[in-house]
Amino acid sequence: MAGNLTKFEVAQFKEAFALFDTNKDGTLEPDELKFVMSALGQECTDEEIKDIIDVADELGTGRIDFPSFLKQFQHADNENPLEMLDEAFLLVGKGQDITEAAVKTFLSSVGQTIIDVEAQEIIKVLDKDGDGKVNVDDFKDIW
C-alpha cells in the first residue's frame, strides 16, 4: 500500500486522513474534501470536488478510502521531496519562521484546535537551534 513513500510519510498521511475524516467512517466524503480544500485556500465547486474524488475513487463509491488517498501521494521519479518541504513550510509559516501562533493558526485552518502548551511542545521538538521558532532548516531536519 505504501508504494514509494517512507514509513514517516505514510504515518503523516494517515494522521492527516484521520483529521480530514471528520465523521470517522474511514473515507473522505465530498463535504469533508471540500472543507480540506477550503482550509488549504482552494475554493472548489461541487463539480470540482466530484472530479477530484473520481480520480482517486478506485472502488466507485463516491468517497476516498485511505489506500486510494495514499496512492495520490506517490513520488514521481523526478520529484524532489525537499521542494515539497519548502511548500509545506510556506503553507504553515506564511513565508516566515514558524512560531507557536503560526502552528495554532494553521491547525485551526484545517479544523484542529490545540492549546498553548501543545503549540509550545511542537515548536520545542522542531526547534533545533533553540531560538523559539522553526526556520526552514529546522523544518527540513524532520525529514
Side-chain angles (χ1 to χ4, degrees), residues 9 75 79-89 136-137 139-143:
E9 289 172 313
H75 297 293
E79 185 175 63
N80 180 354
L82 292 180
E83 282 181 25
M84 292 187 308
L85 285 176
D86 287 334
E87 291 173 19
F89 182 81
V136 71
D137 293 325
F139 194 76
K140 286 181 178 181
D141 279 345
I142 67 170
W143 185 258

Side-chain angles (χ1 to χ4, degrees), residues 1-10 13 70-79 81 84 143:
M1 172 169 64
N4 62 5
L5 299 172
T6 67
K7 288 180 183 178
F8 177 76
E9 289 172 313
V10 171
F13 285 127
L70 205 55
K71 284 184 181 179
Q72 303 310 305
F73 298 98
Q74 298 299 308
H75 297 293
D77 292 337
N78 62 347
E79 185 175 63
M84 292 187 308
W143 185 258

Side-chain angles (χ1 to χ4, degrees), residues 10-117:
V10 171
Q12 294 299 303
F13 285 127
K14 189 171 189 174
E15 188 173 320
F17 186 88
L19 290 175
F20 303 150
D21 181 17
T22 56
N23 67 2
K24 305 302 178 206
D25 69 350
T27 63
L28 295 181
E29 297 174 12
D31 60 328
E32 293 168 322
L33 185 58
K34 194 168 190 171
F35 174 77
V36 170
M37 296 302 289
S38 177
L40 296 174
Q42 301 294 316
E43 297 303 326
C44 298
T45 66
D46 291 342
E47 188 62 32
E48 290 169 324
I49 294 296
K50 182 185 178 311
D51 290 344
I52 292 168
I53 289 176
D54 287 346
V55 168
D57 179 20
E58 297 176 337
L59 303 175
T61 62
R63 300 178 300 226
I64 303 171
D65 63 3
F66 183 65
S68 298
F69 177 80
L70 205 55
K71 284 184 181 179
Q72 303 310 305
F73 298 98
Q74 298 299 308
H75 297 293
D77 292 337
N78 62 347
E79 185 175 63
N80 180 354
L82 292 180
E83 282 181 25
M84 292 187 308
L85 285 176
D86 287 334
E87 291 173 19
F89 182 81
L90 288 172
L91 183 65
V92 176
K94 306 283 190 220
Q96 304 292 319
D97 287 348
I98 298 171
T99 62
E100 293 170 20
V103 169
K104 289 182 75 171
T105 299
F106 173 74
L107 290 175
S108 177
S109 77
V110 295
Q112 297 300 307
T113 304
I114 62 172
I115 61 175
D116 291 342
V117 172

Side-chain angles (χ1 to χ4, degrees), residues 123-135 138:
I123 296 299
K124 182 179 172 183
V125 167
L126 298 177
D127 178 20
K128 301 300 181 198
D129 60 11
D131 66 355
K133 301 178 283 191
V134 177
N135 63 37
D138 295 332

